[in-house]
Amino acid sequence: MFKLKNLLYIATIGLVFSSCSHYQKVLNKGTVEEQYKMAEELYNAKKYSKALDLFVKVTPTYRSKPQMERIEFMIAQSNFNIKDYDLAGYYFERFAEGYPKSSKREEAAFLSAYSYMLAAPRYNLDQTETRRALNSFQSFIDAFPNSNRLDEANKYYKELRYKLEKKAFEIAKGYYTTAPSDPGNYKAAIIAFDNLLTEYLGSEFKEDALFYRLKAAHDLALKSVQRKKLDRIKEAILAYDKLKRNFPETKYLEESAKLLADLQKEQQTLEKS
């Protein structure tokens, strides 16, 4: 039994080495036809990294031939399957643009956006990939309004938009929380909250953004030099009015009322003097 196991092990190792040797031979010295055939075999066997090496080899020869459509899709899919999502997104996008009549165009357009989404980092990091994914899903939704993947695309679009909104909100809130030690950040916070509310109409962070914008305007006004204080108090009161107009029963009702009382009290004092 022990000898049989050893023989089986040796035979397996031999097959592996033989397979590797054959692959290297085709990769380095095989004809283009042999390389393409093996690339497809490896792709179907889910050995995507090796398949990619061979697809790269044959691409220059097949670039203007009918096989290139299939090759480009397999290159994109291989990159996706090995989780190189940046490259997968790029190749799927290129496929969708390069083969507008292909039966796989819709699938490629969706997978391009989906790949960019998977490549996107957490909300607190750079969001370049997130914006690219968002734009790609919007393009997919516009181009394929009757797709059976439309609901899925809309779902991912909302998730990506939420992530960008959260990023914008946290940046603006960060300015506000650091303003006590850096007073210039009160203005920066107000501008950042205004930008969020303008760029993301109907944002899930709208109520929070309006409240923190009020807080920033309140603190800026009360800490301003005398000659600027009255005008800034009036601007802060307008911020309160905007919060109440949009959210009459805001969860910040009690706290915002206190901020308003502070502003009105200071306004009365200044107008009497």
Side-chain angles (χ1 to χ4, degrees):
M1 182 63 73
F2 180 74
K3 287 183 178 180
L4 180 59
K5 285 183 178 179
N6 279 346
L7 287 171
L8 287 171
Y9 175 75
I10 292 168
T12 302
I13 294 297
L15 284 171
V16 170
F17 276 109
S18 174
S19 175
C20 289
S21 176
H22 180 54
Y23 166 76
Q24 289 295 335
K25 183 178 178 181
V26 173
L27 177 66
N28 295 318
K29 297 181 180 180
T31 64
V32 174
E33 291 76 13
E34 289 172 335
Q35 290 171 342
Y36 179 45
K37 181 182 176 183
M38 179 173 276
E40 281 202 314
E41 289 172 353
L42 290 168
Y43 177 87
N44 292 329
K46 300 182 180 181
K47 296 179 179 178
Y48 302 111
S49 293
K50 286 186 174 181
L52 277 169
D53 290 339
L54 287 162
F55 283 134
V56 169
K57 281 272 191 177
V58 304
T59 290
T61 300
Y62 286 104
R63 194 176 300 281
S64 58
K65 296 181 180 179
Q67 294 95 325
M68 196 61 210
E69 179 180 336
R70 178 170 167 76
I71 290 170
E72 287 215 34
F73 191 87
M74 287 190 289
I75 288 173
Q77 188 68 62
S78 294
N79 278 294
F80 182 86
N81 290 336
I82 64 173
K83 299 183 179 181
D84 192 339
Y85 297 122
D86 277 321
L87 271 180
Y90 166 76
Y91 280 114
F92 278 127
E93 183 178 12
R94 194 169 79 169
F95 181 94
E97 292 174 352
Y99 300 97
K101 295 181 180 179
S102 172
S103 61
K104 287 187 173 292
R105 178 174 172 247
E106 179 182 330
E107 182 181 2
F110 179 86
L111 287 174
S112 173
Y114 186 56
S115 296
Y116 288 140
M117 185 185 78
L118 293 176
R122 289 166 54 88
Y123 80 89
N124 56 330
L125 300 175
D126 179 74
Q127 293 302 305
T128 300
E129 293 290 348
T130 302
R131 289 186 180 86
R132 183 157 60 172
L134 190 74
N135 292 335
S136 293
F137 274 119
Q138 185 62 67
S139 296
F140 176 84
I141 291 164
D142 292 341
F144 303 99
N146 300 315
S147 172
N148 58 10
R149 282 179 150 167
L150 194 62
D151 288 344
E152 195 176 0
N154 279 315
K155 172 178 171 286
Y156 290 139
Y157 181 90
K158 288 177 183 176
E159 289 177 4
L160 290 162
R161 180 184 161 94
Y162 177 85
K163 188 158 69 164
L164 291 178
E165 290 175 20
K166 185 173 178 61
K167 171 82 170 180
F169 177 76
E170 293 297 338
I171 289 173
K173 189 177 176 182
Y175 283 128
Y176 174 73
T177 56
T178 57
S181 58
D182 186 358
N185 280 352
Y186 285 122
K187 285 185 182 179
I190 291 168
I191 292 169
F193 283 123
D194 283 342
N195 288 341
L196 185 157
L197 293 165
T198 300
E199 185 173 357
Y200 301 106
L201 298 175
S203 170
E204 292 187 44
F205 293 92
K206 184 174 183 178
E207 183 177 2
D208 299 304
L210 286 171
F211 172 69
Y212 277 99
R213 190 200 182 286
L214 165 60
K215 288 188 77 173
H218 166 278
D219 294 359
L220 175 64
L222 297 188
K223 294 180 180 181
S224 293
V225 295
Q226 210 69 6
R227 62 187 175 82
K228 294 183 178 180
K229 188 172 285 188
L230 188 58
D231 285 341
R232 287 178 174 175
I233 286 173
K234 291 177 181 178
E235 289 173 7
I237 291 173
L238 289 175
Y240 170 85
D241 291 340
K242 190 171 183 179
L243 171 64
K244 283 288 289 179
R245 186 169 62 252
N246 283 274
F247 299 94
E249 301 300 324
T250 177
K251 61 187 176 182
Y252 299 111
L253 195 62
E254 185 177 340
E255 194 170 352
S256 61
K258 184 179 181 304
L259 295 173
L260 176 64
D262 291 343
L263 292 165
Q264 290 175 332
K265 182 180 178 181
E266 186 68 18
Q267 183 181 29
Q268 289 170 3
T269 301
L270 288 169
E271 288 177 343
K272 285 179 183 178
S273 60

